[in-house]
Amino acid sequence: MLFEEGETERVLEKNGFRFICRHDHRLGWNPQAKDGSEWPATGAVIMELSPTEYLVGGTGVVLTFESTRNNKYAGIGYIDKVKVETGKIVPIQRLNGDQNHQGHHLRIPAGTWGMQYIKLYEY
């Protein structure tokens, strides 16, 4: 998915989960989100590793998650910053509550490129 000028949200559904993908500036944490400057083009690729595990690579995106099943909720088990070496996903850092907004989202800030592994669950 790619976010260009004026595009701020996309929704995808897969394996009983709804992925709400937003431009990083839409959430207003970055000073550029409010100073009138042009929002940069941002985007991400979401790769399914299993029905509950995904690899997200890109820049300037925030992903939140919902269950598409009645009376169920989606939760984030954990998020790791990762790199890929010789075909293997290698964890670099487990993200804590400050980095995942207390388990509410996956974020790759605008102006940086990154890759994150996420484990989801339902309850």
Side-chain angles (χ1 to χ4, degrees):
M1 84 200 76
L2 176 65
F3 293 111
E4 296 180 297
E5 185 70 31
E7 293 181 296
T8 60
E9 182 176 294
R10 298 245 176 107
V11 178
L12 310 166
E13 291 187 10
K14 182 78 173 167
N15 299 319
F17 292 106
R18 181 173 296 116
F19 297 74
I20 300 105
C21 311
R22 295 181 175 104
H23 191 290
D24 183 45
H25 286 13
R26 180 165 181 244
L27 300 180
W29 300 321
N30 189 314
Q32 291 177 319
K34 297 176 184 172
D35 70 4
S37 62
E38 184 176 319
W39 286 15
T42 64
V45 173
I46 302 171
M47 294 165 270
E48 177 185 352
L49 304 174
S50 82
T52 59
E53 299 171 287
Y54 298 87
L55 189 62
V56 180
T59 182
V61 294
V62 177
L63 277 68
T64 55
F65 310 90
E66 298 174 351
S67 175
T68 61
R69 297 179 178 96
N70 289 336
N71 301 317
K72 295 278 188 174
Y73 298 92
I76 296 173
Y78 55 90
I79 302 172
D80 289 334
K81 283 187 178 180
V82 298
K83 62 182 176 179
V84 176
E85 287 183 351
T86 60
K88 294 185 181 184
I89 298 170
V90 179
I92 298 170
Q93 175 188 11
R94 173 80 31 106
L95 301 182
N96 64 28
D98 288 343
Q99 292 128 343
N100 64 28
H101 200 66
Q102 286 66 47
H104 288 104
H105 66 236
L106 177 152
R107 178 179 182 226
I108 303 173
T112 65
W113 289 90
M115 195 177 325
Q116 297 181 13
Y117 167 90
I118 186 165
K119 172 76 171 166
L120 300 174
Y121 66 94
E122 283 185 313
Y123 61 99

